[in-house]
Amino acid sequence: MFENSLFEGGSKDSEGNNKAILIAKTRMYNYVIRSCRIAAKSTRNDLKYVECAEKWFARMQRDPSVEPDHHTFTELINIYGLSFSPERAYDMLHLMRKFGLKPDVVTYTSVINAWAKSNNIEQMIRCFKEMQNQELQPNVRTYTIILNGLRESNLPDLKERAEKIFFDMKSRDVKANVVTYNTMLRIYRNEKDFDMAKRTLIEMLEYKINPDNHTIEAINKIPDLQNIRKALINEMRMTLKGKAPHRFERDTSYAPFARKHKIGAGKRNRKQRRRKAEETILDEVLGDRRNKPSQAK
């Protein structure tokens, strides 16, 4: 499929043509490596597509008319993270420097994610400190990945570590999103620190960060938050019935629900697909299909 003249070298008519060919070939190589990463994530056949990505990266290195860029190394780091090979992902940082590229926040965050998926907390924190020593400002995704990695670990002091990371994020004026707060709520729930969970939820609402279905699931078994949970559920139900403006941000794919319930795919059925998907998700979270309110006629 890709065995075409674009990969085998280009004409050297002028400097402008050479630059255009270089950019086009680099993008094509990155596209192939990215396709391997997407295929590995969707099919769970990690080793097969890791070998495929490595093959194309080796071919890219043999091609004298093209050089890897930040996108190339980021995709390779991500695919190593999917295959639970954080050591190879970390080696990509050193290889980047050999090509004259400086790792940025995105590449470091991808390496931190690879360590977190492998449940290697010490290396994850070490890579995070190395990132800070390079005078790179972590973003909200970096902090959320670290907090989620701590949550999935079995460390005895994970709550203290998570609070330290959360405080460091606030001190650097990095605004937490709903995923970050949901992670902290789950940490406090698992550690049975219900008082801090209540404070975290109130802080989240004071900052006008819209809760979602994962927020309701996170506070499900916290006794002191059941009244707030019921209020959020009632507001979500009013939202789904069209009696209140939409408040909750949703990033759910509605295509499976549309196919399941035989709803049309056109723009006219967009609201109907979204409403049916949200009702199904809400029922899965609440588990009370019997008490489901009737839709307004």
Side-chain angles (χ1 to χ4, degrees):
M1 178 178 179
F2 298 102
E3 300 288 340
N4 48 42
S5 59
L6 185 61
F7 288 101
E8 301 300 333
S11 61
K12 300 181 180 180
D13 299 333
S14 63
E15 184 178 355
N17 289 339
N18 289 338
K19 187 175 181 180
I21 292 173
L22 173 64
I23 294 174
K25 292 179 68 175
T26 304
R27 288 179 178 177
M28 287 299 296
Y29 276 111
N30 291 343
Y31 174 78
V32 177
I33 297 174
R34 179 175 177 268
S35 301
C36 295
R37 192 258 303 172
I38 295 175
K41 186 176 181 179
S42 59
T43 62
R44 301 297 180 183
N45 192 353
D46 304 329
L47 297 178
K48 174 182 176 181
Y49 291 102
V50 167
E51 294 177 357
C52 179
E54 289 177 342
K55 171 186 173 182
W56 282 100
F57 180 63
R59 185 171 182 176
M60 187 178 190
Q61 290 177 295
R62 292 194 301 267
D63 193 341
S65 62
V66 65
E67 292 183 357
D69 57 5
H70 281 86
H71 297 287
T72 311
F73 288 101
T74 302
E75 293 296 343
L76 287 170
I77 291 171
N78 289 332
I79 198 170
Y80 284 139
L82 290 173
S83 61
F84 300 98
S85 302
E87 296 85 0
R88 301 168 77 178
Y90 184 76
D91 292 340
M92 289 293 106
L93 296 178
H94 301 289
L95 189 59
M96 285 182 68
R97 297 185 178 95
K98 292 183 179 180
F99 281 92
L101 299 174
K102 184 179 180 180
D104 55 5
V105 177
V106 178
T107 50
Y108 265 107
T109 302
S110 299
V111 175
I112 292 172
N113 189 31
W115 287 117
K117 286 183 177 181
S118 300
N119 202 18
N120 196 327
I121 304 302
E122 299 302 329
Q123 291 292 338
M124 179 187 72
I125 298 298
R126 188 177 302 173
C127 187
F128 176 66
K129 291 180 179 180
E130 179 182 335
M131 174 183 177
Q132 292 177 318
N133 294 334
Q134 297 292 330
E135 297 182 354
L136 295 174
Q137 175 68 22
N139 54 26
V140 63
R141 184 171 180 267
T142 310
Y143 284 107
T144 305
I145 288 172
I146 295 174
L147 291 174
N148 192 55
L150 290 171
R151 181 183 67 86
E152 295 180 352
S153 67
N154 297 323
L155 297 176
D157 59 341
L158 71 91
K159 186 181 75 170
E160 290 76 12
R161 289 195 177 194
E163 289 176 342
K164 185 178 180 180
I165 294 295
F166 196 52
F167 178 77
D168 181 71
M169 180 180 65
K170 293 180 180 178
S171 64
R172 294 176 180 270
D173 295 330
V174 179
K175 294 183 179 179
N177 56 20
V178 63
V179 182
T180 312
Y181 276 104
N182 290 344
T183 306
M184 290 301 300
L185 286 172
R186 289 190 176 98
I187 290 174
Y188 288 131
R189 181 194 63 186
N190 297 339
E191 295 294 318
K192 300 187 184 303
D193 192 347
F194 300 144
D195 184 39
M196 286 302 301
K198 184 177 181 180
R199 293 183 184 180
T200 304
L201 181 62
I202 293 175
E203 177 185 323
M204 174 182 175
L205 298 176
E206 288 178 349
Y207 285 143
K208 297 182 180 180
I209 297 177
N210 298 331
D212 57 6
N213 297 313
H214 299 285
T215 310
I216 295 178
E217 185 272 332
I219 64 176
N220 185 20
K221 297 181 180 180
I222 302 178
D224 297 339
L225 299 180
Q226 293 309 304
N227 292 333
I228 300 178
R229 178 176 176 271
K230 291 178 181 179
L232 292 174
I233 291 171
N234 291 333
E235 184 173 355
M236 290 184 71
R237 290 191 171 184
M238 291 179 63
T239 303
L240 295 175
K241 291 175 67 176
K243 293 184 179 180
H246 285 281
R247 177 185 173 189
F248 299 92
E249 297 180 0
R250 302 175 180 90
D251 55 354
T252 309
S253 176
Y254 305 112
F257 298 95
R259 291 193 297 268
K260 179 179 179 181
H261 299 284
K262 299 180 180 180
I263 303 174
K267 291 184 178 180
R268 296 180 180 178
N269 306 104
R270 181 169 53 189
K271 292 183 179 180
Q272 185 181 2
R273 292 198 306 273
R274 183 175 63 184
R275 187 176 295 112
K276 192 65 178 179
E278 290 165 351
E279 289 175 356
T280 306
I281 295 172
L282 188 60
D283 289 338
E284 293 177 356
V285 173
L286 301 181
D288 55 349
R289 293 178 180 271
R290 298 178 181 178
N291 300 328
K292 182 178 176 181
S294 59
Q295 295 183 355
K297 296 183 179 180

